[in-house]
Amino acid sequence: MTEDLPTVEPPEPLDGTDGLFGLSTDAAHLNHGSYGAVPLPVQQVQERLRTEHELDPDDFFADLPGRIGAARRRIAAELDTDPDRLALVTNVTEAVAIALDTVPLAPGDRVLVTDHGYGAVTRAAARRAAEAGAELVTAVLPLDAPDEHAVREAVLAAVDGRTRLAVLDRVTSPTARVVAGPELLAELRRRGVTTVVDGAHAPGMLPAPVDGAADFWCGNLHKWAFAPRATAVLSVRPEWTDRVRPLALSWEHDRGFPANVEWRGTCDYTPWLAAPAGFDLLRELGTGRVAAHNAGLAAYGQRALVERAGLVPLPAPPWAWMRTVRLPAGWAETEPDARAVMAAVRERLATRVAVRPWAGGGVLRVCAQVYNRPHEYERLADGLAELFKG
């Protein structure tokens, strides 16, 4: 199994990362891709904003739309995209809901998803299709599909003349596979298919992550871009901006996109205002250095799981900060069993991972961030080997 994996030496810890996070030392946090972890300097920026808010709420809200716009423009510059096409939202799930509510569907239309999609997003697409009398079609992507080309061909095989909308991941959450790459998006646009891209894992991990070929592109900033929760973006192509349907009407509605999406009354906007500080920190650490460290450590972690626990590696792009392995047959094949495996790893091995169910053996995902160390993956692998025995 390891012959398919390159020999990987674990990277050295990056200078300036010790003490950067307030994570508990009682556990190994190998699941950054689910909830992220906010660096202490960014927490401090947000805390100052919260203090300012509470000192004079009226004054804080008086010029808040302008401050949100300024934060958005800084974030758009970091993402190398147009701020007038970008709206701040709380997470990708919300952004996808806005996109689904904007795209018209009719009976007989088909909505395409994949079996690697994020569960809540797939459920939202299924509900929207059912409400419109449309059909949900699921493209099956083999877990061992060797590369992005094979994934693209599997998606296109599920597209026909009735396909109106495709909801696809840039990098899949359970399996760390690239789906909505530039070539696939360009081909779907050529075929007249409207696309919604779940780019939850792209900001921070990928340079210039927003693909202009996507009709709607969503990305979380609280995963890999060091932003506070809950901060995400929704990018919309110009032909859709006047048609965007916010989830709720607000006093900013008549200003149109993006203000009509961003304003939601007396909510906590401090995560959005603090989000640029996360990008500042990434730049201070060195975006290239962080990317090389995290990709290298994720690859090392996967190899440790294969060599020490006998697990099967699943393909992933070499730049990804996440890696996955296949669990043995009979393990985590259903949702309850996957939750039980995660609980066992959490409680018995004091390690945080993500496990998703799959017929024939579930998928376990590990992530790498600058606070992780090689011994954490080694300890997980050794613990899993014992767990499988019995």
Side-chain angles (χ1 to χ4, degrees):
M1 288 177 288
T2 56
E3 59 270 14
D4 295 329
L5 295 176
T7 301
V8 179
E9 293 296 327
E12 293 294 325
L14 292 183
D15 294 339
T17 57
D18 286 341
L20 194 56
F21 294 82
L23 291 164
S24 166
T25 57
D26 295 334
H29 302 274
L30 304 183
N31 191 29
H32 188 94
S34 284
Y35 308 107
V38 186
L40 294 175
V42 181
Q43 291 185 43
Q44 292 162 3
V45 171
Q46 186 182 14
E47 189 57 36
R48 288 196 294 271
L49 289 163
R50 284 175 171 157
T51 299
E52 178 191 349
H53 186 179
E54 297 305 329
L55 284 171
D56 192 339
D58 285 68
D59 188 64
F60 187 84
F61 276 97
D63 64 348
L64 190 51
R67 294 177 72 175
I68 292 171
R72 180 189 347 109
R73 287 189 290 274
R74 287 198 58 195
I75 290 167
E78 297 289 350
L79 300 177
D80 194 21
T81 194
D82 183 353
D84 293 332
R85 289 181 48 194
L86 198 71
L88 294 172
V89 292
T90 59
N91 53 46
V92 162
T93 304
E94 177 186 334
V96 168
I98 294 170
L100 291 173
D101 203 33
T102 298
V103 178
L105 292 172
D109 288 342
R110 285 179 168 168
V111 178
L112 178 66
V113 297
T114 79
D115 61 342
H116 290 231
Y118 185 67
V121 169
T122 299
R123 288 184 177 187
R127 185 177 73 173
R128 178 71 179 95
E131 290 171 345
E135 178 186 355
L136 188 77
V137 175
T138 302
V140 176
L141 311 180
L143 275 177
D144 58 355
D147 53 29
E148 187 177 342
H149 173 78
V151 170
R152 182 170 65 252
E153 292 304 306
V155 172
L156 291 175
V159 175
D160 63 16
R162 292 167 53 195
T163 306
R164 172 75 173 93
L165 175 65
V167 183
L168 305 170
D169 296 79
R170 180 65 174 96
V171 181
T172 62
S173 178
T175 53
R177 299 303 304 269
V178 172
V179 178
E183 291 183 19
L184 176 57
L185 290 177
E187 178 60 22
L188 290 172
R189 172 160 291 277
R190 189 186 70 79
R191 298 189 187 192
V193 178
T194 301
T195 51
V196 177
V197 173
D198 177 350
H201 292 277
M205 186 189 300
L206 292 176
V210 181
D211 194 318
D215 292 280
F216 301 87
W217 192 99
C218 324
N220 286 325
L221 304 186
H222 66 263
K223 293 183 183 291
W224 302 107
F226 288 161
R229 306 172 205 88
T231 309
V233 295
L234 167 63
S235 176
V236 180
R237 280 182 62 89
E239 60 265 33
W240 289 100
T241 53
D242 289 342
R243 291 184 275 174
V244 167
R245 286 175 54 88
L247 297 184
L249 292 178
S250 73
W251 290 110
E252 298 292 307
H253 184 75
D254 292 341
R255 289 180 57 199
F257 186 87
N260 61 353
V261 167
E262 292 174 335
W263 192 252
R264 64 272 312 281
T266 50
C267 289
D268 183 7
Y269 298 92
T270 60
W272 298 358
L273 300 182
F279 284 106
D280 291 343
L281 179 58
L282 268 175
R283 194 180 305 105
E284 180 182 331
L285 293 173
T287 54
R289 293 172 65 237
V290 171
H293 173 275
N294 291 353
L297 189 57
Y300 178 80
Q302 182 187 49
R303 189 174 184 95
L305 291 167
V306 172
E307 290 180 338
R308 291 171 175 255
L311 300 178
V312 177
L314 295 176
W319 45 259
W321 302 357
M322 308 185 293
R323 292 292 193 281
T324 55
V325 291
R326 192 81 185 268
L327 297 177
W331 286 81
E333 295 194 9
T334 66
E335 182 69 39
D337 288 345
R339 292 183 180 274
V341 171
M342 275 197 297
V345 173
R346 182 176 68 249
E347 295 162 9
R348 295 169 58 178
L349 306 183
T351 302
R352 314 302 184 232
V353 297
V355 179
R356 297 305 302 150
W358 223 275
V363 176
L364 183 147
R365 186 194 74 190
V366 292
C367 302
Q369 188 48 278
V370 295
Y371 54 76
N372 291 126
R373 299 294 180 261
H375 69 85
E376 296 174 312
Y377 304 91
E378 297 162 2
R379 189 182 70 177
L380 169 64
D382 293 342
L384 286 172
E386 292 299 317
L387 189 66
F388 295 145
K389 291 178 183 178

